[in-house]
Amino acid sequence: MDTSLDAEVQGTSKDDVREKVDPTSLVDADMNQISEAHNLSYDADVAFVHEQTSVSQEASSAEKDGMDMDSESTYSCFNSSSDEKSIDSVAAHELTTHNSDHNGLNKDREYENRSSKTSSSDNDHSPGTSSNNQPASTFDALSGSVQVVEDGIGEYVVPNLGVEFEAEEHAYKCYNRYALMEGFSIRKDFVNRSKVTGFVVSRRYTCHRQGYGSTKRDANVNKPRRETRTGCLAHMTITRQTNGKYRVIHFERRHNHELVTPFTAHLLPAQKRISFVETVEAESDVATSVPDGVPKLGMGFDSEDLAYEFYNAYAARVGFSVRKDYVNRSKVDGAVASRRYTCFREGYRQNDKRGSKVKRPRKETRVGCMAQLVISRQSDGRYRITHFEERHNHELVHACKVRMLRSQKRSMTNQNGESSPYGGAEMQPKSLAELLLTGVGIEDDFYDPIDHEMRLTSKRAYYMKQEEAESLNLYLQSKKLKDPSFVYCVQLDVEEEMTNFFWADEKMLVDYGDFGDVVYFDSTYRLNKDWRPLVLFFGINNHKQILVFGAAFVYGDTSESFKWLFRTFVKAMSGKTPKTILSDREAAITEAIVSELPETHHRLCTWQIYQNALKHLSQIGVNSDSFSSDLCGVFFNPEEEEFVNSWKVMLDTYGLWENDLLHGIFEEREKWAVPYNKHIFAADIETALLSEGSITSVRKYLKPESHVLQFVKHFGRVVNEWRYKELEANYDMGHHLPRLMGDVVMLKQVREVYTPVIFKMFHQEYENCLNNVINECIDTESSVEFKVSTYGQVRQYTVLYSSENDSVVCSCMKFQFVGILCSHALKVLDYRNIKIVPSQYILKRWTRKARE
């Protein structure tokens, strides 16, 4: 043997190995580091190897490309031998004894203490023998015993000096299982093969963070690779014995980096590679592969379209949208060679070249999410998953909103939330009753909706078709049978005929619990004798969208009917009364509200009065295009002096001084006009009613000639449309942030708290405050009085500020009326160096978490 090959090897990086003239010296160097053990001795020719050998430097396909195994590029793992390139070397190996390495013995003892935390079995075996029940025999250099660990997957041999494996593959698997338990990934570093037989003479496995990454490509690469290598020296070297088994001749456990946790160990490159191969092998063992719906490395598909459909279905269950990111096509046949699908929030948006010229900038959606799935076409023609990242850096979409995601959108069917299993709307009451009576368990679940306490003392005022009341009652009863949370009640008249009907489903009850502070009682349909007497309880959510709290048919026309209705409504809402209720000018309604809701602020609805005036003055609107907008500007003017002046100008302009309707409305202005009711919180509901047109779409179904069930069916569609709008608003709110006018602390604060529509209102007030000036500052005993006006204008507003709790009260009373601070109050806060909105001025009902 050539003893010159025993030179000590310095460094363990792949680059160092390549620089060696004789790579076989690495094996001899490793042999010289075997610890002395009392029970371990070697014969002179125990490690005889063929003189004609070759050494190959091994690397994974990802390493060949200068990339780590955990990179986003695709790779194939079928033929590991393809990574080996033989390097001829004429060398001979022999196993020699070495000097005692006390440090090595101490490390072995340290590891033995660590391994005692896991279950192990001590079976006596002599060196070179193996148990038939285990994949390989092991030998502890210190204790002379075999160590086998159970890791939850199965038993595996603990690597250690002197441990013998039946085959090289067994050594790799055991070292990889050990690495999985410890928290690192392994890499095949070098291999030494015999030129005569082709057998592996020796091989070294290293930690995946061994060596250092090359810097040659970094200057020319737009997206430089993430540095993963730290020069870690942890490795295991095996050599072939005369009995054909492989013995561990060097084992370094120490790492110079942190190890991963057991929860993330499966994401290590080597573990991904094994998962890929195991999945492919398992798939080949069965005739048909039945995936469980979760992507796994190695999972195969017959086409890329099937892979996309599978990933998109998985995304629908999880709660995100899929984007087709890149595709690599074959230059030979043009077929897809590999493709990557990403989360729709992957990457970041590039700066718009148009800059500030964009009038309506798109909403920001991308947040750099790394969730993705990569498929690659294999030699068998199938597309297999070569990379899968399931983690997202953003909140996922709730199941009820998934259908609004771009990749999940489908043509929506015209579903009717109020539809029943009893056929079309034209079904006759007789057949409806027959079907209802055949229902299962109807006698056990019977619900009596009749209110026997508050019976009317008069006959119902509105005409009803024969059996129409019974038909409606049976339908509502069927809803109650299907949904126990559904609420409805019926009031009888003096002749014990069903007269008034109230109903509300579970969603209406929930909405009222969240946003029932302000209620608009709409009874305008009753005023038209050609319609059924429908009345509705409306509200407004945190997106300033219309909500329906309940609906009723009121065929009675007295205050008793409305008293019953309001009492029934409060009872259905678990006794919760609204803070504010708005209604029309009808005396019976006003009397009922005062009687049944004594603690609730009541005022006439400006929007409803405006609609009535517009209807009676429609002839003027025909002759003038600006009349409608002028009338609206007068009715919703927030300043008392301006309101009165603009009213007079309107009467002069259109010659309406003698109009009795407008004269009566003006006389009651303190009950409905905005300037006189700014102290009553109304949640700006009337502005929302101005922009809502769907409310009028139910009118044509209220005509008596149409069946009552036809109306209920259409009404259900309208309610569902409103609810869907809220889902869309919630989705947009969760995925887009409104743009800021600048880097302003206060705007950043409220953008995270308010819904987008409320933030827009606040943003406008903040912009207005920049044009405000403080004209006077007067100190008082308990507060400071500021006089604030808009630059160049005479009108001044008084703002009282208290430093005790940073309270601000403005004479415009916008916060009291709408629920957000006005520009005058914001000016004072800025003057006092208060850069965030005090918590008492952020109403929960306007926030993103209003329903929590």
Side-chain angles (χ1 to χ4, degrees):
M1 298 291 181
D2 187 1
T3 57
S4 64
L5 297 176
D6 296 336
E8 182 178 2
V9 178
Q10 300 294 329
T12 59
S13 68
K14 185 167 61 176
D15 296 336
D16 293 339
V17 174
R18 288 176 176 170
E19 294 175 0
K20 299 301 176 184
V21 176
D22 191 354
T24 58
S25 61
L26 292 173
V27 178
D28 295 334
D30 289 336
M31 296 290 297
N32 291 335
Q33 297 182 42
I34 301 179
S35 302
E36 289 187 354
H38 299 294
N39 298 325
L40 180 61
S41 62
Y42 300 94
D43 295 331
D45 56 349
V46 66
F48 172 79
V49 297
H50 295 282
E51 293 184 359
Q52 300 296 330
T53 61
S54 64
V55 178
S56 66
Q57 192 69 30
E58 185 177 51
S60 66
S61 60
E63 292 167 345
K64 292 176 184 177
D65 296 333
M67 301 179 67
D68 292 330
M69 287 288 290
D70 58 353
S71 68
E72 297 177 358
S73 63
T74 60
Y75 54 87
S76 175
C77 306
F78 286 116
N79 299 316
S80 60
S81 62
S82 64
D83 297 333
E84 300 171 356
K85 297 181 180 178
S86 299
I87 304 175
D88 293 339
S89 172
V90 180
H93 282 268
E94 69 176 339
L95 181 66
T96 60
T97 57
H98 56 81
N99 296 329
S100 301
D101 186 354
H102 298 290
N103 295 332
L105 292 176
N106 292 335
K107 287 185 289 183
D108 292 339
R109 292 190 180 97
E110 178 184 352
Y111 177 74
E112 183 179 11
N113 293 333
R114 285 174 54 193
S115 63
S116 64
K117 298 179 181 179
T118 60
S119 60
S120 63
S121 59
D122 297 338
N123 299 317
D124 295 334
H125 293 280
S126 61
T129 63
S130 63
S131 173
N132 295 331
N133 297 329
Q134 297 181 359
S137 62
T138 64
F139 187 82
D140 191 318
L142 294 177
S143 63
S145 62
V146 174
Q147 296 192 19
V148 180
V149 172
E150 173 68 37
D151 66 350
I153 303 175
E155 293 183 347
Y156 76 99
V157 176
V158 177
N160 210 335
L161 287 178
V163 169
E164 289 187 352
F165 299 95
E166 293 291 336
E168 173 204 357
E169 182 182 358
H170 293 160
Y172 174 77
K173 288 184 177 179
C174 287
Y175 190 45
N176 195 59
R177 296 273 286 279
Y178 160 77
L180 177 63
M181 296 293 292
E182 291 293 307
F184 67 97
S185 183
I186 66 174
R187 174 182 288 129
K188 294 180 180 179
D189 190 33
F190 77 78
V191 62
N192 187 7
R193 294 181 181 274
S194 169
K195 288 186 176 181
V196 178
T197 63
F199 292 148
V200 172
V201 176
S202 61
R203 180 184 284 281
R204 179 166 66 178
Y205 307 107
T206 66
C207 173
H208 75 297
R209 309 193 75 170
Q210 168 263 354
Y212 296 95
S214 175
T215 59
K216 294 180 180 180
R217 297 174 59 252
D218 290 348
N220 299 323
V221 177
N222 294 330
K223 296 182 179 180
R225 296 179 295 117
R226 182 184 58 181
E227 184 58 55
T228 59
R229 301 198 181 191
T230 61
C232 182
L233 299 178
H235 66 279
M236 183 182 79
T237 306
I238 59 174
T239 187
R240 194 169 185 268
Q241 308 298 306
T242 56
N243 58 3
K245 298 179 181 179
Y246 289 85
R247 176 175 293 176
V248 179
I249 62 172
H250 191 276
F251 185 50
E252 175 58 60
R253 303 181 181 88
R254 293 173 296 179
H255 297 263
N256 66 351
H257 56 88
E258 293 185 0
L259 302 178
V260 302
T261 65
F263 301 102
T264 57
H266 67 283
L267 299 175
L268 293 170
Q271 306 306 328
K272 287 184 177 181
R273 182 167 185 163
I274 286 186
S275 299
F276 180 90
V277 176
E278 289 177 348
T279 303
V280 175
E281 292 175 350
E283 185 177 305
S284 62
D285 293 338
V286 294
T288 304
S289 176
V290 182
D292 59 1
V294 179
K296 294 182 178 62
L297 289 178
M299 184 179 293
F301 305 92
D302 292 333
S303 68
E304 59 158 327
D305 291 334
L306 292 177
Y308 173 79
E309 292 176 4
F310 174 78
Y311 189 49
N312 195 46
Y314 162 78
R317 291 191 298 273
V318 175
F320 67 97
S321 184
V322 176
R323 173 183 291 135
K324 294 181 180 180
D325 188 32
Y326 79 73
V327 59
N328 292 331
R329 295 186 179 273
S330 171
K331 294 182 179 180
V332 178
D333 57 4
V336 173
S338 63
R339 181 184 281 279
R340 179 167 66 179
Y341 305 110
T342 64
C343 173
F344 75 121
R345 308 197 73 177
E346 172 268 346
Y348 296 94
R349 178 187 299 169
Q350 297 180 353
N351 293 330
D352 198 322
K353 297 179 180 180
R354 296 172 297 175
S356 59
K357 297 181 180 179
V358 180
K359 294 182 179 180
R360 296 182 179 180
R362 292 177 299 157
K363 298 178 180 179
E364 186 61 55
T365 59
R366 300 198 179 191
V367 294
C369 181
M370 296 299 296
Q372 59 184 279
L373 180 139
V374 179
I375 59 173
S376 178
R377 188 176 61 174
Q378 306 300 324
S379 58
D380 59 355
R382 303 197 77 198
Y383 290 88
R384 298 189 180 276
I385 299 176
T386 56
H387 183 72
F388 173 56
E389 175 58 59
E390 62 179 334
R391 294 172 297 179
H392 297 261
N393 66 349
H394 55 89
E395 292 185 3
L396 299 173
V397 178
H398 194 272
C400 64
K401 307 173 188 175
V402 166
R403 59 182 177 176
M404 290 180 292
L405 295 171
R406 176 170 296 182
S407 68
Q408 310 298 339
K409 279 186 176 180
R410 298 179 178 90
S411 58
M412 296 191 59
T413 57
N414 192 12
Q415 297 179 349
N416 173 27
E418 295 287 335
S419 61
S420 67
Y422 307 119
E426 301 299 332
M427 180 173 293
Q428 296 300 319
K430 180 177 181 180
S431 60
L432 177 65
E434 289 175 354
L435 287 172
L436 184 61
L437 292 175
T438 58
V440 179
I442 188 170
E443 294 182 0
D444 296 335
D445 299 331
F446 181 73
Y447 169 77
D448 184 11
I450 305 299
D451 189 342
H452 299 281
E453 297 181 359
M454 294 190 66
R455 186 175 302 179
L456 291 178
T457 58
S458 59
K459 174 66 177 175
R460 63 188 182 199
Y462 288 86
Y463 168 77
M464 297 183 70
K465 288 184 180 180
Q466 186 177 7
E467 297 181 346
E468 187 174 60
E470 183 177 353
S471 176
L472 179 59
N473 182 49
L474 290 174
Y475 175 80
L476 297 176
Q477 178 67 35
S478 69
K479 296 293 293 182
K480 180 66 177 180
L481 289 175
K482 290 188 297 182
D483 180 11
S485 299
F486 185 84
V487 175
Y488 85 102
C489 193
V490 181
Q491 185 184 33
L492 304 179
D493 66 2
V494 68
E495 296 181 0
E496 297 190 355
E497 291 182 348
M498 289 182 284
T499 303
N500 300 320
F501 299 82
F502 169 82
W503 71 91
D505 61 22
E506 182 181 13
K507 182 64 166 59
M508 296 176 184
L509 305 182
V510 173
D511 290 343
Y512 181 82
D514 295 331
F515 303 105
D517 50 354
V518 178
V519 173
Y520 164 52
F521 182 69
D522 183 13
S523 60
T524 55
Y525 301 108
R526 296 176 57 258
L527 303 178
N528 193 324
K529 296 182 179 180
D530 295 331
W531 296 338
R532 285 190 178 86
L534 174 70
V535 296
L536 297 171
F537 292 88
F538 283 121
I540 187 173
N541 64 12
N542 53 341
H543 300 287
K544 291 188 67 178
Q545 296 172 326
I546 294 296
L547 299 173
V548 179
F549 296 148
F553 280 126
V554 181
Y555 286 88
D557 200 22
T558 62
S559 61
E560 291 179 283
S561 295
F562 293 108
K563 288 180 181 179
W564 169 85
L565 181 58
F566 290 126
R567 182 178 299 182
T568 302
F569 175 78
V570 173
K571 183 178 180 180
M573 303 302 165
S574 302
K576 178 182 177 180
T577 59
K579 295 180 179 179
T580 305
I581 187 169
L582 294 83
S583 70
D584 66 8
R585 302 170 60 199
E586 194 170 348
I589 296 177
T590 302
E591 180 183 348
I593 291 176
V594 173
S595 174
E596 300 299 327
L597 303 173
E599 297 180 359
T600 299
H601 293 291
H602 172 239
R603 76 173 180 85
L604 302 183
C605 180
T606 306
W607 176 82
Q608 196 172 93
I609 294 176
Y610 163 71
Q611 291 293 324
N612 292 335
L614 192 62
K615 178 181 177 181
H616 285 84
L617 301 174
S618 58
Q619 187 61 38
I620 299 178
V622 173
N623 299 328
S624 174
D625 296 334
S626 61
F627 176 73
S628 177
S629 59
D630 291 344
L631 188 67
C632 182
V634 172
F635 271 70
F636 290 92
N637 196 312
E639 302 298 334
E640 180 180 354
E641 184 177 351
E642 293 180 2
F643 166 75
V644 175
N645 292 335
S646 61
W647 184 276
K648 295 178 181 179
V649 171
M650 179 192 66
L651 297 181
D652 284 333
T653 303
Y654 297 101
L656 297 174
W657 282 102
E658 303 299 328
N659 187 282
D660 294 336
L661 175 65
L662 292 180
H663 179 74
I665 290 175
F666 186 77
E667 290 296 323
E668 295 181 334
R669 62 186 180 279
E670 294 186 2
K671 296 181 180 180
W672 61 268
V674 175
Y676 305 96
N677 294 277
K678 291 189 294 184
H679 62 287
I680 300 176
F681 179 68
D684 207 24
I685 190 173
E686 292 160 317
T687 304
L689 291 170
L690 276 172
S691 59
E692 182 56 60
S694 299
I695 191 174
T696 61
S697 65
V698 300
R699 293 179 179 176
K700 64 179 180 179
Y701 294 95
L702 286 174
K703 296 181 180 179
E705 55 267 23
S706 61
H707 198 277
V708 65
L709 298 186
Q710 187 178 9
F711 163 78
V712 178
K713 182 177 181 180
H714 178 74
F715 178 70
R717 288 198 192 100
V718 174
V719 173
N720 282 340
E721 288 177 4
W722 287 331
R723 292 173 179 175
Y724 184 74
K725 289 180 180 179
E726 182 179 7
L727 290 178
E728 288 183 318
N730 285 332
Y731 171 78
D732 290 338
M733 176 180 66
H735 293 79
H736 311 298
L737 284 176
R739 295 252 178 169
L740 299 176
M741 62 178 291
D743 189 13
V744 182
V745 175
M746 183 174 290
L747 292 181
K748 288 182 177 180
Q749 174 208 6
V750 296
R751 183 175 67 167
E752 298 294 330
V753 177
Y754 284 144
T755 59
V757 65
I758 302 302
F759 172 77
K760 184 178 180 180
M761 295 173 59
F762 184 91
H763 195 281
Q764 185 60 51
E765 292 295 329
Y766 189 88
E767 287 185 2
N768 294 340
C769 91
L770 300 180
N771 292 324
N772 290 343
V773 293
I774 295 179
N775 302 317
E776 190 177 0
C777 179
I778 304 174
D779 288 330
T780 63
E781 294 182 0
S782 58
S783 62
V784 181
E785 182 180 303
F786 293 89
K787 298 294 184 179
V788 182
S789 66
T790 301
Y791 179 79
Q793 296 184 8
V794 178
R795 174 180 293 277
Q796 290 192 144
Y797 296 88
T798 302
V799 180
L800 299 178
Y801 170 78
S802 175
S803 59
E804 293 183 1
N805 54 359
D806 292 331
S807 64
V808 283
V809 179
C810 181
S811 58
C812 76
M813 307 188 77
K814 187 177 185 69
F815 178 78
Q816 289 79 357
F817 187 66
V818 178
I820 63 172
L821 286 177
C822 61
S823 62
H824 320 112
L826 293 176
K827 183 66 179 182
V828 171
L829 290 178
D830 183 69
Y831 181 82
R832 301 291 299 189
N833 292 327
I834 299 174
K835 300 302 181 181
I836 62 174
V837 179
S839 59
Q840 66 266 32
Y841 295 109
I842 297 180
L843 300 186
K844 183 181 179 182
R845 68 134 29 248
W846 293 137
T847 66
R848 295 167 175 257
K849 298 182 179 180
R851 288 191 179 272
E852 296 181 4

